[in-house]
Amino acid sequence: MDQAKAQERVNELRDRLETYGYHYYVLDDPIVPDAEYDEKLSELLELEQQFPDLQTADSPTVRIGGEPLDAFVKVQHSIPMMSLGNAFHEQDLRDFDRRARQGAGKELDYVCELKIDGLAVSLTYENGRFVRGATRGDGTTGEDITNNLKTVGSIPLRLQEAVDIEVRGEVFMPERSFERLNEAKEQNGEAVFANPRNAAAGSLRQLDPKIAANRNLDIFTYAIAGDGGMNIDTHYKAVQYMKKLGFKTNPNSRRCRDIEEVIEFVNGWVEHRNSLPYEIDGIVVKVNSLEQQDELGFTAKSPRWAVAYKFPAEEKVTRLRDIILSVGRTGAVTPTAVLDAVQVAGTTVQRASLHNEDLIREKDIKIGDQVVVKKAGDIIPEIVRVLDDLRDGTEEEFSMPSTCPACGSELVHLEEEVALRCINPQCPAQIQEGLIHFVSRDAMDIDGLGEKVIQQLFSHNLVTGIADLYKLEREELLKLERMGEKSVQNLLDAVEASKANSLEKLVFGLGIRFVGAKAARTLAEEFRTMDNLRGTDTENLLAVNEIGDKMAEAVVRYFDMPEVNELVDELQHLGLNMEYTGPAKEEVSGNSQLSGKTIVLTGTMEQLTRNEAKEKIEALGGKVTGSVSRSTDIVVAGEDAGSKQSKAEELGVDIWDEAAFLREIDS
Ligand code: IVH
């Protein structure tokens, strides 16, 4: 066969395979027997081997998986991949509806979609060809997983129109495939995946696309990024357009005229969520009109025109075996419940944080109790309550120790905190936790340096502080368990790469009290260089929008310490970038409603601990106090809020629920 003839046949085979694949994967409705597909695919493979010039990046043969990569390359999302605000109750949906109608100024209609429990990805097409696929990452920067995504049969490699378009969707593993994969893993004596979501994530994280190709992954696309200049005026039409282009979209969506119809749809799926061949964790409600979406806009983290209703958390009963203590990065000593393993919402739960002694008293938790557990926001295990009727008298009272379980120094209560703290700066547990924080994703983001490796480095005395991470040597690393040539090289490369990080990552990584990732970014944007930041004073800090008293004071106090300055000098000397290299500061519109307000927190929140809530309020310029009085502006009432809420009602103080609070701190 000559080249021209081969080209002709190759084109024909590709067209056919694409059509077969489309019917099989996208429409779930095959038009030829599997053997026919396989036969054509082998013929195409052979021709491409014989005439390598004819190979293309979008040939169906790429679906079997190309060469393994050494590492994933980071990609910047041209349009950020946001997440959604959550709704847990009918009331949250009504609140969302009210705000949306107020914001848009007229009546709205909605589209309800299933919230697929998988991994968000972004797919870029140029001229109708699939050129790049990326994970969500932190929303701004993800990883290029194009080769793995090409193995997902329902992701089209060529579209029906030669358009430039970027779409977003959720990659997931159908339950059947998940079960089969785990069966195979069990037979091979390998560790199984906890749930389909983890299995999908694990598969996409493989450097070898042949592995992903064997994992039967699937996708539903649910949005076009940007408006794409496509003259589409509603979300519903955008989804139909994606479908027309050849994307797989979920058939169970519905247009709803008002919030009552939305609630009806949601309740229907609360009943039927388990009847699908894949997992969903809620319903996404979106304002249909794209113009109204534009008008409503975004908060810092999520669109105001959409909300994710999360299905109620599953609750299970298990026994609390023991309460153990851990020392955090800031010295807080936290009690953790050790539970008899129990399956809750798809994963095995064996531990649950008890936060502090007050909470243990409040919930009257004793060692040996039968307890009800759930996962807050379906992620973090939590003890809901004790079944005290089931006590037999053998249960034991727990009390916090007076000394640090890691270093033995006296524990103290700082200010009005409920937490007990170890204030020894040399405490090994704190240093180790500090290192884990330093390398974490929102901080220096050093791949390959997870908790386990840090523990290993620490216990071998290879690292005793942050600076040591930048002095690691090959030979020493090679001596560690489970560290081969390749992982050592990857680790050293990642450490090296982290030196170039923009200033905010370092500022956050240092772990200054009250300075979260967002505040670190604000500080870096404002002060531009580490020297400016460490040379500044309280007044200058307070002049920055979003920086409150507590944080300003913490920053000044931090950089007053000689050992901190030595560390910063040393890091600079080791070649770490000390400047802000990110985009120029965005103007934040308007001030937070919390700024200058006196706020009382009561009850338990699903999404935040008391302290996290407090930090957020302070970062926004508000003040948190312990008791409700006439000078209180707002009471944020979580679940089971008691007397403080009644007091607030009595005094006519504004009461916010968790959802309202989250919206404000996100905006
Ligand atoms: S729309 C601006 N629609 O849920 C955000 N998301 O927190 C647009 N998800 O990261 C997201 N099914 O991974 C949307 N039908 C759906 C979805 C969906 C699942 C995921 C997605 C996103 C997260 C929202």
Side-chain angles (χ1 to χ4, degrees):
M1 198 185 289
D2 65 12
Q3 178 101 7
K5 264 263 154 53
Q7 177 77 71
E8 207 175 296
R9 180 67 182 152
V10 161
N11 288 347
E12 188 185 325
L13 286 167
R14 284 181 186 155
D15 283 346
R16 279 208 196 189
L17 284 164
E18 222 163 287
T19 310
Y20 295 166
Y22 176 71
H23 281 268
Y24 184 90
Y25 292 108
V26 178
L27 303 180
D28 278 333
D29 189 14
I31 48 170
V32 291
D34 292 4
E36 167 96 14
Y37 184 93
D38 294 345
E39 195 185 297
K40 295 277 180 302
L41 188 68
S42 327
E43 188 185 342
L44 178 58
L45 261 174
E46 254 166 54
L47 280 171
E48 287 178 356
Q49 262 156 20
Q50 217 178 322
F51 300 93
D53 291 355
L54 300 184
Q55 178 69 51
T56 57
D58 60 4
S59 169
T61 53
V62 301
R63 295 215 188 265
I64 58 177
E67 290 301 302
L69 299 171
D70 289 329
F72 293 121
V73 176
K74 304 232 150 140
V75 274
Q76 213 52 32
H77 296 300
S78 57
I79 298 173
M81 292 182 76
M82 300 248 186
S83 57
L84 294 174
N86 290 328
F88 296 98
H89 310 282
E90 207 174 290
Q91 189 55 42
D92 300 337
L93 289 171
R94 292 187 195 280
D95 288 347
F96 164 75
D97 173 55
R98 183 174 30 77
R99 282 192 315 276
R101 279 186 291 122
Q102 268 164 10
K106 40 188 152 172
E107 284 309 297
L108 300 166
D109 62 334
Y110 294 107
V111 176
C112 288
E113 292 172 354
L114 304 186
K115 185 168 186 304
I116 312 295
D117 197 9
L119 250 92
V121 296
S122 187
L123 310 173
T124 308
Y125 291 77
E126 284 168 10
N127 227 341
R129 280 159 210 273
F130 179 48
V131 292
R132 194 167 45 260
T135 60
R136 173 170 184 274
D138 64 5
T140 324
T141 316
E143 283 179 327
D144 187 328
I145 52 163
T146 313
N147 291 346
N148 284 340
L149 289 175
K150 280 182 176 174
T151 70
V152 178
S154 46
I155 294 182
L157 301 172
R158 277 194 281 179
L159 302 178
Q160 293 305 308
E161 292 172 23
V163 285
D164 289 347
I165 193 172
E166 187 174 334
V167 302
R168 305 273 159 89
E170 195 87 349
V171 171
F172 63 95
M173 187 178 284
E175 272 166 17
R176 285 279 302 162
S177 314
F178 167 72
E179 281 155 18
R180 281 202 212 119
L181 173 63
N182 268 356
E183 271 162 33
K185 282 194 162 275
E186 229 158 54
Q187 281 184 356
N188 295 335
E190 294 170 39
V192 297
F193 284 111
N195 53 46
R197 186 183 185 284
N198 287 5
S203 307
L204 288 182
R205 231 180 273 125
Q206 297 288 337
L207 290 166
D208 183 354
K210 293 214 164 51
I211 299 181
N214 278 316
R215 293 283 171 87
N216 264 315
L217 297 172
D218 204 342
I219 193 171
F220 286 118
T221 53
Y222 50 66
I224 299 176
D227 60 5
M230 272 155 223
N231 257 334
I232 294 175
D233 59 358
T234 65
H235 173 69
Y236 197 81
K237 287 184 195 158
V239 175
Q240 284 184 322
Y241 179 58
M242 285 196 290
K243 198 168 160 189
K244 184 166 150 227
L245 288 178
F247 290 106
K248 183 161 177 172
T249 57
N250 192 287
N252 301 299
S253 65
R254 185 190 306 161
R255 259 180 300 180
C256 294
R257 264 167 309 174
D258 56 26
I259 199 68
E260 300 308 325
E261 283 189 17
V262 168
I263 289 167
E264 197 181 303
F265 182 85
V266 163
N267 288 337
W269 280 105
V270 170
E271 294 286 307
H272 295 114
R273 60 184 289 198
N274 293 323
S275 65
L276 293 163
Y278 46 86
E279 290 199 340
I280 60 176
D281 58 343
I283 301 293
V284 182
V285 185
K286 302 174 180 175
V287 167
N288 192 20
S289 149
L290 298 186
E291 195 188 326
Q292 288 177 328
Q293 284 191 5
D294 263 353
E295 264 164 41
L296 287 162
F298 294 84
T299 70
K301 269 200 275 179
S302 47
R304 291 199 187 84
W305 44 263
V307 71
Y309 173 85
K310 294 288 200 71
F311 292 134
E314 191 184 351
E315 295 190 342
K316 285 283 181 67
V317 175
T318 188
R319 184 178 296 277
L320 187 152
R321 284 276 158 213
D322 197 4
I323 295 180
I324 55 170
L325 298 162
S326 59
V327 185
R329 166 168 71 86
T330 60
V333 178
T334 322
T336 301
V338 179
L339 307 165
D340 277 349
V342 59
Q343 281 292 116
V344 188
T347 62
T348 310
V349 171
Q350 280 173 295
R351 299 244 191 291
S353 175
L354 295 169
H355 303 290
N356 56 59
E357 193 167 19
D358 285 9
L359 190 131
I360 298 177
R361 296 276 160 273
E362 245 169 66
K363 294 196 172 166
D364 185 28
I365 294 169
K366 294 187 178 156
I367 297 171
D369 269 337
Q370 297 278 356
V371 293
V372 176
V373 293
K374 70 166 183 186
K375 287 200 285 179
D378 261 345
I379 304 176
I380 304 156
E382 173 189 304
I383 294 190
V384 186
R385 63 178 183 280
V386 167
L387 300 176
D388 49 7
D389 291 355
L390 301 181
R391 284 187 178 153
D392 62 10
T394 60
E395 297 74 18
E396 286 167 41
E397 212 48 79
F398 169 84
S399 52
M400 291 289 277
S402 58
T403 56
C404 173
C407 72
S409 45
E410 199 75 25
L411 298 177
V412 297
H413 279 290
L414 287 184
E415 291 136 37
E416 296 155 36
E417 282 184 352
V418 273
L420 266 178
R421 281 183 196 276
C422 165
I423 50 169
N424 168 19
Q426 310 299 337
C427 173
Q430 287 181 55
I431 296 175
Q432 190 171 313
E433 289 302 314
L435 286 166
I436 292 170
H437 169 76
F438 185 80
V439 302
S440 65
R441 188 160 82 176
D442 284 344
M444 294 298 271
D445 193 14
I446 306 184
D447 276 349
L449 256 185
E451 204 167 322
K452 292 249 162 60
V453 181
I454 292 279
Q455 277 162 3
Q456 232 181 335
L457 294 172
F458 201 76
S459 63
H460 285 79
N461 249 331
L462 291 181
V463 168
T464 57
I466 289 172
D468 295 340
L469 293 173
Y470 293 93
K471 300 180 206 160
L472 288 171
E473 297 198 9
R474 270 178 76 75
E475 278 63 41
E476 287 172 331
L477 290 172
L478 282 169
K479 288 185 207 144
L480 298 177
E481 262 174 70
R482 291 187 303 275
M483 281 286 217
E485 286 282 347
K486 190 147 183 175
S487 38
V488 166
Q489 196 51 50
N490 287 345
L491 200 161
L492 289 172
D493 289 347
V495 168
E496 190 59 31
S498 77
K499 290 182 180 175
N501 283 346
S502 181
L503 180 62
E504 67 278 13
K505 299 201 102 55
L506 177 58
V507 171
F508 178 57
L510 289 174
I512 309 168
R513 270 201 92 191
F514 305 123
V515 180
K518 184 150 176 276
R521 177 175 295 263
T522 306
L523 289 171
E525 279 169 355
E526 284 293 331
F527 291 91
R528 320 301 298 182
T529 70
M530 181 64 95
D531 282 342
N532 288 343
L533 179 62
R534 62 169 156 166
T536 194
D537 54 20
T538 318
E539 202 180 324
N540 279 323
L541 283 162
L542 285 174
V544 179
N545 215 345
E546 296 167 55
I547 308 284
D549 284 337
K550 276 231 159 157
M551 204 195 304
E553 200 186 304
V555 170
V556 170
R557 214 189 303 153
Y558 181 79
F559 286 113
D560 268 350
M561 293 190 274
E563 60 270 30
V564 165
N565 283 291
E566 274 165 34
L567 171 64
V568 171
D569 289 342
E570 187 174 12
L571 292 177
Q572 186 154 27
H573 190 72
L574 286 164
L576 272 75
N577 167 51
M578 297 278 160
E579 288 175 17
Y580 177 66
T581 56
K585 190 171 163 47
E586 282 174 48
E587 276 308 316
V588 267
S589 59
N591 259 334
S592 165
Q593 282 192 56
L594 301 180
S595 150
K597 295 285 165 64
T598 303
I599 296 155
V600 172
L601 299 169
T602 181
T604 32
M605 298 206 220
E606 295 243 8
Q607 301 275 300
L608 296 173
T609 64
R610 226 4 114 77
N611 263 330
E612 284 164 347
K614 195 167 165 206
E615 279 182 27
K616 304 261 182 188
I617 292 171
E618 280 159 357
L620 293 169
K623 191 170 85 186
V624 177
T625 58
S627 57
V628 181
S629 71
R630 289 194 191 282
S631 57
T632 309
D633 295 302
I634 300 166
V635 168
V636 180
E639 284 289 310
D640 300 324
S643 61
K644 291 183 186 174
Q645 179 166 0
S646 341
K647 182 97 186 270
E649 280 163 7
E650 224 171 84
L651 295 173
V653 173
D654 257 5
I655 301 175
W656 291 15
D657 62 5
E658 177 172 1
F661 176 65
L662 291 173
R663 270 188 311 271
E664 181 56 33
I665 59 178
D666 284 348
S667 64

